[in-house]
Amino acid sequence: MTDWNKITAELDGLEIVTDASQVAKLSLDYYHFSPVLQAQLADKRADLVVRAANEEDVLKVARVCVKNQIPLTVRGAGTGNYGQCIPLEGGIVLDLTPMNKIHRIEPSLASVEPGVKLAAFDKKAREIGWELRMYPSTYRTATIGGFIGGGSVGAGSINYGQLRDRGNLHAVHIVTMEDKPRVLELRGDEVQQVNHAYGTNGIITLLEIPLAPAYPWAELIVTFADFLEAAKFGQAIADADGLVKKWVSIFAAPIPTYFTALKDYISPEESSAFLMVAESSLEPFYDLVKEWGGKITYKKTAKEAQKGISLVEFGWNHTTLLARSIDPNLTYLQTFYWDLERVEQMYRYFGDEVMIHLEFIRVGGMAIPAGLQLLRYSTEERLNEIIKYHEENGAGIANPHTYILEDGGRKTIDLVQLAFKERVDPYGLLNPGKMRGWLEREQ
Ligand SMILES: Cc1cc2nc3c(=O)[nH]c(=O)nc-3n(C[C@H](O)[C@H](O)[C@H](O)COP(=O)(O)OP(=O)(O)OC[C@H]3O[C@@H](n4cnc5c(N)ncnc54)[C@H](O)[C@@H]3O)c2cc1C
């Protein structure tokens, strides 16, 4: 039985949250997008939340947790979708949002603490003409550490691929959970040991990230009478190498009806493309729209776009958020369709049960349609049938209805990440229950 008064005394000097409603809030994330995870995770709670303001604080918490064999789950802004930062076995949730110093921004490279918010960082970097290579639609609240720990893609992925691609993360510092916790620096390929590992094998305390040249990005909506034409237009702009863009998203009707703030720009029966295009590329962009018979119904210059809500906050998983706020029975899937033939096949096969939302991203040098489809949920059995049909027909599903690291994405145990966990977290205290490789090793 853990003596929490003793633990609190050992953590003296650190900010500790014990208020039950605050602890509840800081124990959860956006797991509720999944009806399957809702049932599994709703009642999970930390015993304490501790806030760390610097690396010394993190080391202190790590020491106390190792000494007392307490589970430790790291948390950024808690916007993850699969219960990634939900403590399955209680213990301490370590909130790193106070660690928000930008140490260095220089042309093409930056060094930051994990709690830095993506939007705040981007604003600073743009002052010297650079920006994040990619960001999720939660960029206003999400942290850089959380994006690396649990995210994968975002606006910019049409140019730079996925976070896990070599070159998108240069170096990290991590705090270990060994008998004597220490700070390790990982550089180059070594970062893959902790990249997208849900904080199961190291607490990231510093990140060195590469940047992209910043452009003034215009934001546009183009509508089409037919979804498949919209999808083909999406592929065409994604493939147009001379056209500088940051984001290409396609919504099948009736998805945009969930975007009530945009109802003046898209009618319920229209499908649409949402885009960020460099202002200097707008002229060739208009020619492309003309070629595909699209209609531009919304256009903001980069300056205008900075004032209100960015269109990006209708894309990625914000689409799911907005749709669920109107119909909570909706959930979603994450799919690598690989090509438009498969998109068409799924569109015709599932009809209105699976409404297609595409995000074009770069994978292995090619622009491909990925999906964040909205799904009308009936039962878990039906959900699994839909996943199975996709997989049997060559579409890859990154399952958002599991909190297990390996089951969500690559479906195989990452031996490099597992070996690193054995080394730096020998007692399995970090975010326990999330890494299948570790769970199976323990049996
Ligand atoms: C509406 C909505 C839209 C979204 N859109 C996108 C999207 O476009 N692209 C995308 O990739 N994701 C998206 N997400 C998921 C999520 O918002 C992002 O991945 C985000 O970057 C996570 O950051 P966070 O600070 O909230 O991390 P958290 O949720 O706090 O943490 C995520 C994971 O990283 C671990 N972690 C956090 N900090 C550290 C650290 N310092 N060291 C080690 N591990 C750590 C946590 O333990 C957890 O496992 C979306 C989520 C929602 C709710």
Side-chain angles (χ1 to χ4, degrees):
M1 201 50 184
T2 310
D3 178 350
W4 288 103
N5 288 331
K6 179 177 152 264
I7 303 297
T8 308
E10 286 181 27
L11 291 167
D12 185 37
L14 297 179
E15 187 185 342
I16 298 177
V17 181
T18 51
D19 171 69
S21 69
Q22 278 298 308
V23 169
K25 194 170 154 230
L26 294 167
S27 296
L28 299 173
D29 62 8
Y30 282 75
Y31 72 102
H32 46 80
F33 280 18
S34 161
V36 178
L37 294 180
Q38 269 174 32
Q40 296 171 353
L41 299 177
D43 62 349
K44 304 290 178 207
R45 297 289 180 273
D47 292 281
L48 282 186
V49 176
V50 182
R51 294 205 162 102
N54 53 51
E55 203 168 71
E56 264 315 304
D57 289 354
V58 177
L59 277 163
K60 183 167 178 175
V61 177
R63 273 186 224 113
V64 171
C65 285
V66 173
K67 181 177 155 214
N68 296 283
Q69 293 292 290
I70 297 170
L72 192 168
T73 303
V74 190
R75 177 185 173 94
T79 66
N81 287 121
Y82 336 118
Q84 289 126 302
C85 67
I86 296 183
L88 298 182
E89 298 178 13
I92 288 179
V93 158
L94 180 62
D95 175 357
L96 291 185
T97 49
M99 281 189 76
N100 60 5
K101 285 200 187 69
I102 297 172
H103 287 278
R104 185 163 53 100
I105 305 181
E106 59 189 53
S108 86
L109 202 64
S111 163
V112 295
E113 291 184 351
V116 173
K117 294 202 184 299
L118 292 148
F121 174 84
D122 221 35
K123 198 165 167 220
K124 274 264 164 231
R126 290 183 73 90
E127 286 172 10
I128 62 154
W130 292 82
E131 64 181 22
L132 287 164
R133 283 189 170 182
M134 67 191 80
Y135 56 68
S137 56
T138 45
Y139 64 104
R140 283 200 286 157
T141 42
T143 65
I144 297 185
F147 192 35
I148 295 296
S152 41
V153 280
S157 285
I158 185 68
N159 300 317
Y160 294 98
Q162 303 174 75
L163 278 176
R164 73 170 184 220
D165 288 324
R166 178 182 273 141
N168 280 334
L169 173 64
H170 282 201
V172 289
H173 282 187
I174 63 143
V175 165
T176 71
M177 293 287 279
E178 297 157 294
D179 285 320
K180 285 196 179 145
R182 60 188 167 136
V183 179
L184 292 181
E185 183 183 39
L186 307 177
R187 300 203 65 85
D189 279 356
E190 288 171 353
V191 301
Q192 303 304 359
Q193 296 172 122
V194 296
N195 193 355
H196 195 76
Y198 293 5
T200 56
N201 62 4
I203 306 165
I204 300 170
T205 50
L206 193 76
L207 304 100
E208 198 177 293
I209 49 170
L211 304 177
Y215 285 85
W217 299 111
E219 299 192 356
L220 303 107
I221 297 177
V222 186
T223 60
F224 295 84
D226 178 52
F227 165 67
L228 293 170
E229 284 303 298
K232 285 180 199 159
F233 167 77
Q235 186 73 57
I237 177 163
D239 288 342
D241 295 333
L243 240 156
V244 182
K245 62 270 172 185
K246 181 163 180 160
W247 177 51
V248 181
S249 183
I250 308 292
F251 302 98
I255 293 178
T257 56
Y258 299 118
F259 306 158
T260 41
L262 299 176
K263 65 178 184 327
D264 293 345
Y265 305 100
I266 316 161
S267 66
E269 56 289 341
E270 279 176 324
S271 291
S272 50
F274 283 33
L275 308 116
M276 287 171 83
V277 177
E279 285 183 354
S280 55
S281 281
L282 283 175
E283 219 175 319
F285 172 76
Y286 296 147
D287 290 337
L288 188 78
V289 173
K290 202 164 152 209
E291 189 180 321
W292 285 92
K295 191 169 78 202
I296 297 174
T297 60
Y298 177 104
K299 186 195 146 195
K300 278 193 175 175
T301 61
K303 208 164 171 196
E304 288 163 349
Q306 269 167 18
K307 283 181 206 142
I309 286 186
S310 164
L311 280 186
V312 171
E313 290 184 65
F314 293 86
W316 302 97
N317 228 359
H318 266 76
T319 309
T320 317
L321 178 81
L322 293 166
R324 279 177 50 76
S325 71
I326 290 172
D327 180 355
N329 213 34
L330 293 171
T331 185
Y332 74 116
L333 283 179
Q334 302 177 136
T335 305
F336 289 89
Y337 288 106
W338 302 113
D339 57 41
L340 290 182
E341 284 73 50
R342 224 166 266 125
V343 172
E344 181 170 358
Q345 180 189 354
M346 300 300 161
Y347 177 67
R348 297 201 187 286
Y349 186 79
F350 289 110
D352 191 48
E353 188 181 12
V354 181
M355 294 172 273
I356 297 192
H357 159 200
L358 301 176
E359 295 286 351
F360 280 88
I361 63 172
R362 206 170 173 80
V363 177
M366 290 183 7
I368 64 132
L372 279 163
Q373 316 93 299
L374 292 176
L375 189 149
R376 295 185 196 280
Y377 185 74
S378 52
T379 61
E380 190 174 346
E381 195 186 7
R382 176 63 187 148
L383 172 69
N384 289 332
E385 266 172 29
I386 294 171
I387 291 177
K388 192 159 169 248
Y389 183 84
H390 278 82
E391 289 178 337
E392 283 175 355
N393 285 280
I397 297 276
N399 188 358
H401 303 282
T402 172
Y403 55 76
I404 300 282
L405 175 62
E406 296 93 330
D407 297 357
R410 294 186 211 181
K411 312 283 191 303
T412 55
I413 288 167
D414 186 326
L415 294 173
V416 172
Q417 292 193 345
L418 175 61
F420 193 65
K421 183 171 174 72
E422 285 168 346
R423 215 180 107 203
V424 302
D425 181 26
Y427 302 109
L429 296 172
L430 282 175
N431 207 355
K434 304 283 172 62
M435 189 189 265
R436 177 172 297 291
W438 182 267
L439 295 172
E440 290 179 352
R441 167 195 167 277
E442 278 183 323
Q443 278 164 13

